Amino acid sequence: MKKLRYDDCICRTKLVDHSLIKDRILNEIKLSTHYENIDNVSEYYADKVYRTDMDLYKDLNRSWVQILMPNLYISLNEMLSSMVYNGSEILCLWYHQYLKGDTYGWHIHDQMYAGIYYLEFGKSSGRTQICSPFSLKSTKINAQEGDLVIFPSHLMHRSLPNSDERKTVVSFNFNLKPQNQHYLNLIK
């Protein structure tokens, strides 16, 4: 087998009005009575997540989701408009809250793209690490609180062990809308 190198990208931007909605989202997550803990220690996984609502990932009517969605779509579609895409369709999303030492192992997502919104993220928070399927080399995303990062969902990625008291991220999957004709005319 021969691997052919092909350019792709990992994109990062700030979520629109992060500082205005952060506390509202965290409060709704705190008030939520539906959550689970992940503690899978096995031969393959060492996942440990304090709190998540991942089992409700398709429910876009949760109160914290309703606060986030308008800002998420604005920021996401601004990023995509700089490429050959004409918008997105978010299909599912969930939060993970990590305490000190919590981690989430290597995995991939469904759909075309995956995204992470760093809702509550300090200097010692566990970084996201992404692996190239071509070279098997990994890179750590140098994210900051309020960042929104997107990447092709087939890229293996994980959350390194958290060193902060608490970190909260929102993960989501989305598909792309049809191409932007302006950019199609620029393809070489």
Side-chain angles (χ1 to χ4, degrees), residues 48-82:
K48 184 164 180 20
V49 177
Y50 165 65
R51 209 174 144 147
T52 183
D53 66 352
M54 191 165 56
D55 61 327
L56 297 176
Y57 70 105
K58 288 187 178 181
D59 178 3
L60 302 181
N61 293 314
R62 288 166 286 166
S63 57
W64 71 265
V65 173
Q66 293 295 306
I67 296 167
L68 173 61
M69 285 298 263
N71 302 57
L72 183 56
Y73 266 118
I74 290 168
S75 301
L76 182 58
N77 290 334
E78 281 178 4
M79 269 198 286
L80 295 173
S81 71
S82 70

Side-chain angles (χ1 to χ4, degrees), residues 3-7 132 134-135:
K3 292 182 183 178
L4 303 175
R5 182 173 294 278
Y6 190 80
D7 286 340
S132 162
F134 181 82
S135 66

Side-chain angles (χ1 to χ4, degrees), residues 84-99:
V84 296
Y85 308 113
N86 197 24
S88 62
E89 178 187 14
I90 297 172
L91 302 169
C92 54
L93 72 164
W94 60 97
Y95 74 84
H96 280 322
Q97 277 191 329
Y98 298 85
L99 298 180

Side-chain angles (χ1 to χ4, degrees), residues 33-55:
T33 58
H34 181 93
Y35 65 89
E36 62 180 346
N37 304 95
I38 297 175
D39 197 356
N40 299 330
V41 179
S42 72
E43 180 180 355
Y44 303 104
Y45 301 101
D47 303 336
K48 184 164 180 20
V49 177
Y50 165 65
R51 209 174 144 147
T52 183
D53 66 352
M54 191 165 56
D55 61 327

Side-chain angles (χ1 to χ4, degrees), residues 101-136:
D102 288 355
T103 186
Y104 201 83
W106 290 111
H107 63 285
I108 61 173
H109 288 219
D110 293 337
Q111 279 69 51
M112 293 177 177
Y113 269 78
I116 304 168
Y117 165 44
Y118 296 85
L119 174 61
E120 184 178 38
F121 198 77
K123 293 188 186 306
S124 301
S125 292
R127 303 288 174 206
T128 302
Q129 187 176 26
I130 298 179
C131 178
S132 162
F134 181 82
S135 66
L136 300 182

Side-chain angles (χ1 to χ4, degrees), residues 1 13-14 24 37 45 49 64 74 115 134 136 155-156 180 185-186:
M1 175 187 81
T13 193
K14 288 288 185 195
R24 290 176 53 213
N37 304 95
Y45 301 101
V49 177
W64 71 265
I74 290 168
F134 181 82
L136 300 182
L155 296 180
M156 293 288 292
N180 184 323
N185 293 333
L186 300 176

